[in-house]
Amino acid sequence: MKVLVIGGGAREHALCRSLSLDPEVTALHCAPGNAGTAEVAVSHPVDALDGAAVARLATELEADLVVVGPEAPLVAGVADAVRKAGIPCFGPSKEAAELEGSKAFAKDVMAAANVPTARSYVCTTAQQIDDALDAFGPPYVVKDDGLAAGKGVVVTDDLAAAREHGLACGRVVIEEFLDGPEVSLFAITDGETVLPLQPAQDFKRALDGDEGPNTGGMGAYSPLPWADPKLVDEVLETVLQPTVDELRRRGTPFAGLLYAGLAISSRGVRVIEFNARFGDPETQVVLARLRTPLAGVLLAAAEGNLAELPPLAWRDDAAVTVVVASHNYPDTPRTGDPIEGLDEVAAQDAPDAYVLHAGTRLEGAAADAGTVVSAGGRVLSVTATGKDLTQARERAYTALGRIRLAGSQHRTDIARAAAGASEG
């Protein structure tokens, strides 16, 4: 099988790594990719938002499967263009991807499917924003209706800050605050059959102790020793399957990766948001634990054959990933700084720990002799597995300690509480 992965972040590196380990994959390509994906896949320059260009590249490569990683190409209809060219594509249609592209659309689908979620108001005027904020009170939850790279949500007790964010968004969803821990649960679906993966938890705030501004995600871990063993079955029954059924009923079937961001609230499981693709950084830990070869599962979803697959197999190991971010992230990050120590991790920590590239590029005359430099806000995901969360996080932080990037930042508490709870 020849596979083309679209995107250039750590999620795509994680996908490429898993696909490269699949014996069924005979050729692996990534467009545009990064310095890390280039180690396991052939890189191609492409505008990931240009469906015609992506379809043309897939045709030239004679790809048997295209996997669209990021949300923006999906919302732009790239998967539709690939399918129109006659090539199986893992990723929802433009219409179905509105589940992530519009918070208001997602709320409408959830209401129709009777999916439990927070009460909310869709606001387009200052008066509506003021009324909604007044109705719910603090803490205020204000969400940009459209895509915002994981940074369109403000949760604050500061009324002025909540109002300012709402006014800056144009169309905004204001909703009640959901208490309790958060869980990310991915499901692969072909539009009918829904195959849930293992749950993970990510860390959105920039600083230790869940302080600081929201980010795209600073780390993640799986499994969740504190979660109810029946959680996945419950979410499949009350959230994932009803949502997929409702989208199919509307004539816009969702085939691809359905990601449910959940709050385990005092009133039960509630959906915080849906995404239409693998999440970053949760993908890094979920795929680290998946034993079933990935390509066949994604192809079955793209071709509508998921019901024929045997159950997914999982490793007993735990997995932890810690994000190394650029100086000044999540504000305008500093880029172009050399990254050192990657060879040391590969030599001393593999295969238990490894580095997945997010915002990196090769700088130099020859790609194979170039210097890896930072090229984005989140630069690397240092990922490790172990017999339990304690061992996995020790391995991740040991590997991270070998990496040198001027001005970089990372959280030191990823999975610490969960590791302590599982030991206790």
Side-chain angles (χ1 to χ4, degrees), residues 9-59:
R11 162 187 45 229
E12 287 74 37
H13 192 181
L15 287 164
C16 284
R17 180 182 182 275
S18 290
L19 290 165
S20 73
L21 298 172
D22 187 333
E24 293 296 313
V25 176
T26 53
L28 183 59
H29 303 267
C30 190
N34 60 38
T37 61
E39 296 175 4
V40 293
V42 180
S43 300
H44 301 270
V46 76
D47 178 355
L49 296 175
D50 185 338
V54 171
R56 196 159 49 245
L57 175 62
T59 302

Side-chain angles (χ1 to χ4, degrees), residues 91-264:
S93 66
K94 179 178 181 176
E95 288 181 306
E98 276 297 288
L99 202 61
E100 177 169 6
S102 168
K103 305 284 191 303
F105 175 77
K107 287 289 188 183
D108 184 64
V109 170
M110 283 188 268
N114 202 26
V115 168
T117 187
R119 292 180 299 120
S120 64
Y121 296 103
V122 179
C123 307
T124 56
T125 68
Q127 186 60 55
Q128 289 174 340
I129 289 170
D130 289 340
D131 290 346
L133 292 172
D134 183 56
F136 288 127
Y140 304 103
V141 181
V142 186
K143 299 181 176 182
D144 191 330
D145 180 57
L147 296 181
K151 297 190 282 286
V153 179
V154 165
V155 181
T156 180
D157 289 321
D158 185 334
L159 177 59
R163 189 174 191 273
E164 181 184 9
H165 182 65
L167 292 171
C169 291
R171 192 181 196 210
V172 67
V173 174
I174 296 175
E175 61 185 40
E176 67 176 327
F177 176 77
L178 295 172
D179 61 343
E182 295 183 11
V183 173
S184 299
L185 184 61
F186 301 162
I188 292 171
T189 177
D190 57 9
E192 291 192 38
T193 300
V194 181
L195 205 60
L197 306 186
Q198 289 291 306
Q201 186 174 56
D202 77 333
F203 294 75
K204 286 286 187 221
R205 299 284 186 170
L207 307 176
D208 283 7
D210 291 328
E211 299 290 332
N214 256 349
T215 71
M218 295 298 291
Y221 69 93
S222 180
L224 311 182
W226 49 267
D228 186 330
K230 301 187 189 116
L231 175 65
V232 173
D233 289 340
E234 179 188 343
V235 175
L236 175 62
E237 182 181 336
T238 63
V239 173
L240 299 169
Q241 192 70 57
T243 300
V244 169
D245 291 345
E246 171 61 19
L247 285 165
R248 189 174 70 253
R249 187 191 68 76
R250 294 180 178 214
T252 56
F254 188 106
L257 195 290
L258 178 58
Y259 164 146
L262 308 164
I264 313 301

